[in-house]
Amino acid sequence: MSLAPVVRDDFSAPFFEASAEGRLLLRFSPSSGAWSEPSAMVCSVSQAADLEWREASGRGHLVSWTIKPGRPRDDQPAQDTVIGIVETEEGPWLTLLLPDADVAALAVGAAVEVRFVQPEGSEHLPVGRFVG
């Protein structure tokens, strides 16, 4: 499965600038000390509106996953796509494509590290890779 191109807007610009450098940014609320996902407009814990971008570790663990069946194309065999829900070390959950995942080895709690890819015509996008 190929990723669709994504284009930044003013809100997402800091996230994509960091992504191009191989860094994951999440939203952080200084008043509550809680982390939120990148798209959050208010703190997911306290609803505080004081969110700022902060660099995250880029590490987490697999919570769940789904396998999207592929379709054969141009005499090429079908290639399934693994999409995982990853809980980051900071707390927020991210939905990530897991492009190199061994389906037979998928397990709740498996260590995942965020990497970045750049589809043609797109910003750099986070994907997950199993580690350890």
Side-chain angles (χ1 to χ4, degrees), residues 1-2 68-79:
M1 173 182 190
S2 60
K68 181 180 177 198
R71 295 184 197 165
R73 290 194 179 133
D74 302 323
D75 296 328
Q76 297 293 319
Q79 198 145 10

Side-chain angles (χ1 to χ4, degrees), residues 11 17 19 31-32 37 45 52 64 66 72-73 75 79 82 96 99 112 117 120 123 127 129 131:
F11 175 79
E17 287 168 11
S19 294
S31 65
S32 71
E37 68 281 354
V45 174
E52 58 190 40
S64 185
T66 190
R73 290 194 179 133
D75 296 328
Q79 198 145 10
V82 180
L96 299 173
V112 177
V117 296
E120 186 175 334
E123 299 290 341
V127 298
R129 182 177 74 87
V131 293

Side-chain angles (χ1 to χ4, degrees), residues 6 8 15-22 116-119 122-126:
V6 174
R8 75 176 69 194
F15 177 83
F16 289 120
E17 287 168 11
S19 294
E21 298 169 356
F116 297 90
V117 296
Q118 186 177 25
S122 178
E123 299 290 341
H124 287 80
L125 303 176

Side-chain angles (χ1 to χ4, degrees), residues 12-26 38 53-59 94 114-117 124-127:
S12 64
F15 177 83
F16 289 120
E17 287 168 11
S19 294
E21 298 169 356
R23 299 181 299 117
L24 176 66
L25 295 186
L26 296 175
W53 291 106
R54 289 226 182 143
E55 188 168 347
S57 68
R59 293 183 302 272
L94 302 176
V114 174
R115 299 285 191 206
F116 297 90
V117 296
H124 287 80
L125 303 176
V127 298

Side-chain angles (χ1 to χ4, degrees), residues 72-88:
R73 290 194 179 133
D74 302 323
D75 296 328
Q76 297 293 319
Q79 198 145 10
D80 294 344
T81 301
V82 180
I83 302 165
I85 307 256
V86 175
E87 182 174 8
T88 63

